[in-house]
Amino acid sequence: MSRVLLDNFIRKSIYGHDLLHQAANLNRKALQSGNTSVQVYFVFAMTTSQKHRSFCSEPMGDKSVYALPGIGPVLGGRLEKIGIRTAKDVLGRFLILGMDEWKFKSWLRDSCGANAKHQRDCYNCLREWTNNFL
């Protein structure tokens, strides 16, 4: 099956909406013409924050829990209240949970109330850091 790859960064904007609408039209036209071998799809590219790049670029040392992407003043404060003060403490929990995405994100949600974006940012950072340094 041949595929038309539209490698674009989709943003929540009118342009992203238009691009998705155009892809739907291309798929519909291909089906109407009897050409079922064409499939239009998108690759969603994820970018990382400066905090993520900085954290993953060097050994952990004694970095504070606030240094982790997805962990700001509120979530960091909640983690400190339950005894998690350094990024190493979070890394330890990440490793104890077997680097399992669902388990780690659930733990982060339950322990400090992290939302889905915060969970994803922290998980992706720790996964990349462990790939780089362990």
Side-chain angles (χ1 to χ4, degrees):
M1 173 190 300
S2 66
R3 292 182 178 196
V4 177
L5 173 63
L6 301 177
D7 185 12
N8 291 296
F9 293 97
I10 306 301
R11 305 264 188 255
K12 288 184 180 177
S13 69
I14 188 67
Y15 300 108
H17 174 73
D18 288 344
L19 200 51
L20 290 172
H21 184 64
Q22 289 173 6
N25 283 338
L26 286 172
N27 281 333
R28 187 172 42 254
K29 287 178 184 177
L31 288 173
Q32 287 172 348
S33 68
N35 184 354
T36 58
S37 64
V38 175
Q39 181 181 4
V40 178
Y41 66 100
F42 290 94
V43 173
F44 290 92
M46 230 171 66
T47 59
T48 57
S49 66
Q50 179 59 46
K51 192 174 183 182
H52 175 105
R53 291 187 297 275
S54 175
F55 189 91
C56 291
S57 68
E58 58 191 21
M60 193 169 297
D62 290 326
K63 291 182 182 179
S64 166
V65 71
Y66 299 99
L68 285 163
I71 306 297
V74 173
L75 298 180
R78 291 177 187 165
L79 288 170
E80 284 186 333
K81 283 182 184 177
I82 61 171
I84 298 170
R85 292 181 173 74
T86 65
K88 282 182 184 178
D89 296 333
V90 179
L91 174 65
R93 179 60 61 162
F94 178 72
L95 295 173
I96 286 170
L97 295 171
M99 301 186 336
D100 181 84
E101 182 175 4
W102 185 83
K103 288 179 183 177
F104 179 75
K105 287 179 176 181
S106 295
W107 170 79
L108 201 56
R109 181 193 64 234
D110 296 343
S111 63
C112 67
N115 66 26
K117 182 191 181 316
H118 298 138
Q119 295 166 26
R120 183 178 57 248
D121 290 348
C122 191
Y123 171 80
N124 288 337
C125 177
L126 289 174
R127 187 190 63 212
E128 184 176 330
W129 190 91
T130 55
N131 289 339
N132 292 344
F133 294 98
L134 294 183

